[in-house]
Amino acid sequence: MERNEFEKIVEENFEQLPEQFKSEIDNVAVVVEDYPTDDLIDKLHLKSKHQLFGLYQGVPLTRRGPWYGMSPVLPDKISLYQRNIESVCSNTGEIRKKVYEVLIHEIGHYMGMTEEEIRSAGY
């Protein structure tokens, strides 16, 4: 799939998020990359660049104190790894569903949820 088509799916899925999620999101960039970088693979102790569908990097909402935003702050980042998502999907419908699942999962991390909390919530 071409990058622009995948990005359009990401954008459409973002627009379909429940309002309670969208209204809480502030200063977050959602980006599409083919794979995680080698540095990230090392930092996360991954065995392969193929293990990760998405990643949240930043300061979760639950850890932002009154100091947050007092000086310029770079946006948090949610990365979606296109080639890894495509590798487990056999058609565009499955890609749409997987992108939504990964996006919700990473937004859960942005909101301060642990991996266990996200999974127990059904994401």
Side-chain angles (χ1 to χ4, degrees), residues 53-86:
F53 296 122
L55 181 68
Y56 166 71
Q57 298 174 79
V59 179
L61 289 178
T62 54
R63 292 193 182 159
R64 293 180 182 184
W67 53 267
Y68 186 83
M70 296 299 284
S71 60
V73 179
L74 289 174
D76 290 4
K77 180 178 172 184
I78 293 176
S79 299
L80 300 176
Y81 300 111
Q82 180 177 352
R83 300 299 174 216
N84 290 342
I85 291 171
E86 289 175 333

Side-chain angles (χ1 to χ4, degrees), residues 36 40-52:
L40 199 52
I41 292 166
D42 291 341
K43 180 180 175 184
L44 298 175
H45 308 291
L46 300 174
K47 294 179 182 177
S48 164
K49 68 181 182 180
H50 303 286
Q51 287 182 264
L52 207 55

Side-chain angles (χ1 to χ4, degrees), residues 84-99:
N84 290 342
I85 291 171
E86 289 175 333
S87 73
V88 297
C89 300
S90 58
N91 58 51
T92 302
E94 288 181 10
I95 291 171
R96 285 183 187 283
K97 184 177 176 184
K98 189 64 162 176
V99 165

